[in-house]
């Protein structure tokens, strides 16, 4: 279990409140994170490496001052399976996850978050993002877009997933700004 201090005095770390990585790969299995804080990627910040998260639990009290309340990921590929992810982005986008590039696949995962900017749960500019059998809830501030998910660019596939209790001024569940969006057998 990764657990941040109960009372953070001063500024949080710049990237990755628990883990910051850039290398040959990051694999996290059967772990939990609580009270992790950073400017970007409250729990995990990763660039230019494959990332696999399996049966990971990130609690709602993980937060980022800017983007990616729980996760800030760029590069990849990223594989997230059977996880429970929560987070809050105080002044940025992607309350749970901020995908800055690469490709990502999320399977059988629950995501719940809120952000000041777009993408209450997820903000993506990844080349390809796929959600299958996921449960997504989220909100962005009332004058921003994509309460559940904000797609800036790239290809997004939402398959057999549920997006509920999502709110934003535009795109309560999904705001698709660019790229292609494919929704299959999902509910809102």
């Amino acid at each position: 279990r990764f657990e941040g201090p109960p009372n953070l005095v001063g500024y949080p770390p710049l990237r990755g409140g628990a883990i910051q990585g850039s290398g040959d790969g990051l694999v996290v299995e059967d772990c939990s994170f609580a009270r992790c804080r950073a400017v970007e990627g409250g729990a995990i910040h990763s660039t230019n490496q494959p990332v696999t998260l399996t049966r990971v639990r990130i609690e709602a009290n993980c937060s980022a001052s800017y983007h990616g309340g729980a996760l800030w990921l760029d590069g990849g590929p990223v594989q997230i399976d059977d996880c429970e992810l929560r987070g809050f982005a105080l002044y940025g986008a992607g309350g749970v996850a901020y995908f800055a590039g690469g490709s990502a696949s999320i399977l059988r995962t629950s995501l719940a978050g809120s952000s000041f900017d777009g993408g209450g749960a997820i903000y993506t500019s990844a080349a390809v993002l796929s959600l299958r059998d996921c449960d997504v809830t989220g909100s962005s501030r009332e004058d921003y877009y994509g309460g559940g998910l904000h797609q800036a660019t790239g290809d997004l596939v939402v398959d057999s997933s549920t997006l509920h209790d999502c709110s934003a001024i535009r795109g309560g569940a999904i705001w698709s700004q660019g790229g292609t969006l494919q929704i299959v057998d999902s509910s809102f």
Side-chain angles (χ1 to χ4, degrees):
R1 178 175 173 93
F2 295 88
E3 193 163 339
N7 298 310
L8 181 64
V9 178
Y11 295 103
L14 184 58
R15 295 184 177 104
I19 298 171
Q20 179 184 4
S22 179
D24 295 332
L26 173 63
V27 176
V28 181
E29 293 181 350
D30 300 309
C31 293
S32 63
F33 297 80
R35 290 196 313 259
C36 297
R37 298 176 189 94
V39 173
E40 291 182 331
I44 299 172
H45 185 283
S46 177
T47 57
N48 302 317
Q49 68 179 346
V51 174
T52 302
L53 305 178
T54 307
R55 294 176 305 280
V56 169
R57 184 170 191 262
I58 299 178
E59 296 180 12
N61 57 9
C62 288
S63 63
S65 302
Y66 200 44
H67 297 317
L71 308 170
W72 192 99
L73 305 169
D74 184 11
V78 173
Q79 182 67 45
I80 299 173
D81 296 335
D82 302 308
C83 296
E84 259 186 67
L85 307 176
R86 310 283 179 266
F88 177 72
L90 185 59
Y91 294 111
V96 174
Y98 186 94
F99 295 101
S103 64
S105 176
I106 305 174
L107 181 63
R108 294 181 309 273
T109 292
S110 170
L111 303 106
S114 61
S115 68
F116 180 83
D117 204 336
I122 299 171
Y123 178 94
T124 181
S125 59
V128 177
L129 174 61
S130 170
L131 282 83
R132 177 184 284 271
D133 296 321
C134 292
D135 182 80
V136 179
T137 61
S139 64
S140 62
R141 203 180 74 172
E142 64 188 40
D143 55 345
Y144 281 93
Y145 308 143
L149 199 148
H150 182 148
Q151 172 195 17
T153 61
D155 298 331
L156 172 61
V157 177
V158 178
D159 186 2
S160 303
S161 295
T162 302
L163 286 90
H164 59 95
D165 299 316
C166 298
S167 63
I169 193 168
R170 291 194 182 141
I174 298 173
W175 173 257
S176 180
Q177 182 178 352
T180 62
L181 171 61
Q182 179 182 6
I183 301 172
V184 179
D185 195 28
S186 295
S187 61
F188 297 88

